[in-house]
C-alpha cells in the first residue's frame, strides 16, 4: 500500500492474542509509517496470508490459541508466498533452549519481553531492508 505521497509502505502482520501488547505494538508501528494488519490467532493469521503477503511477520507467542509457535511457523514457511518472509518471535520466555529451537525453525529474530519499541522498529527496518536488497 502507498501513503498519501505515493510512497510504498512496508506491510507487517502482527499475530497475538494479548490485546494490550498487540495494541501497543500496532499503534507504535503505524505511527512509524508501517501498514500493520493483526490477527488474534494463528488460524486467523493463516487465513490472512491466503489473501495478502506481508513484508515481515511479528508473532507474539504468549497464549496464542490453536497452534504453538513452531507449528504456525512451519505452515508459514510451507506457503510459497511467505517461505522467505522474515519472522520475529516476541516472547516473555527468556529460555536459551526455546531461543535455540526458534533458530532451528527458521525464526529470523527472537525478542524477549520487555523490549524497547525503538529496538523493535530498528530490527524490522533492518530485516526488511535485507530482504529487499540482499547482500551477495
Amino acid at each position: 500500500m502507498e501513503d498519501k505521497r505515493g510512497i510504498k509502505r512496508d506491510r507487517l502482520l502482527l499475530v497475538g492474542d494479548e490485546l494490550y501488547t498487540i495494541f501497543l505494538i500496532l499503534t507504535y508501528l503505524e505511527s512509524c509509517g508501517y501498514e500493520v494488519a493483526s490477527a488474534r490467532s494463528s488460524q486467523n493469521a493463516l487465513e490472512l496470508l491466503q489473501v495478502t503477503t506481508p513484508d515481515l511477520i511479528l508473532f507474539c507467542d504468549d497464549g496464542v490459541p490453536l497452534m504453538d509457535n513452531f507449528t504456525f511457523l512451519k505452515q508459514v514457511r510451507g506457503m510459497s508466498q511467505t517461505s522467505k518472509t522474515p519472522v520475529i518471535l516476541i516472547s516473555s520466555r527468556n529460555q536459551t533452549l526455546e531461543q535455540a529451537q526458534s533458530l532451528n525453525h527458521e525464526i529470523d529474530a527472537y525478542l524477549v519481553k520487555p523490549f524497547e519499541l525503538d529496538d523493535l522498529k530498528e530490527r524490522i527496518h533492518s530485516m526488511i531492508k535485507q530482504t529487499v536488497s540482499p547482500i551477495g
Side-chain angles (χ1 to χ4, degrees):
M1 175 178 243
E2 294 181 356
D3 69 8
K4 295 174 190 171
R5 298 165 294 180
I7 298 171
K8 181 192 175 292
R9 295 174 58 198
D10 293 319
R11 292 174 296 167
L12 309 176
L13 174 59
L14 179 56
V15 185
D17 69 343
E18 192 175 286
L19 292 179
Y20 176 77
T21 301
I22 297 304
F23 178 76
L24 179 69
I25 294 172
L26 185 138
T27 303
Y28 175 75
L29 292 175
E30 284 181 339
S31 76
C32 293
Y34 291 103
E35 176 187 337
V36 185
S38 64
R40 298 265 327 261
S41 71
S42 302
Q43 192 61 43
N44 293 135
L46 291 172
E47 291 168 7
L48 271 173
L49 291 172
Q50 296 296 322
V51 296
T52 186
T53 304
D55 297 303
L56 186 136
I57 298 170
L58 294 161
F59 183 68
C60 300
D61 78 340
D62 297 326
V64 173
L66 299 178
M67 283 185 237
D68 68 19
N69 50 4
F70 300 130
T71 302
F72 171 72
L73 183 62
K74 183 177 180 180
Q75 292 192 12
V76 168
R77 293 296 184 222
M79 300 170 76
S80 61
Q81 70 271 27
T82 56
S83 64
K84 302 293 184 195
T85 301
V87 176
I88 297 175
L89 176 63
I90 300 171
S91 179
S92 60
R93 295 181 278 252
N94 188 13
Q95 299 174 354
T96 305
L97 178 60
E98 183 167 311
Q99 291 179 25
Q101 288 175 329
S102 297
L103 294 174
N104 290 336
H105 286 85
E106 298 182 56
I107 291 175
D108 301 286
Y110 188 101
L111 286 178
V112 177
K113 292 180 188 175
F115 57 88
E116 295 294 324
L117 288 170
D118 286 339
D119 292 339
L120 174 62
K121 180 182 83 169
E122 289 303 317
R123 190 167 295 201
I124 289 169
H125 177 76
S126 174
M127 292 173 81
I128 290 175
K129 186 176 176 182
Q130 286 178 349
T131 303
V132 172
S133 57
I135 297 173

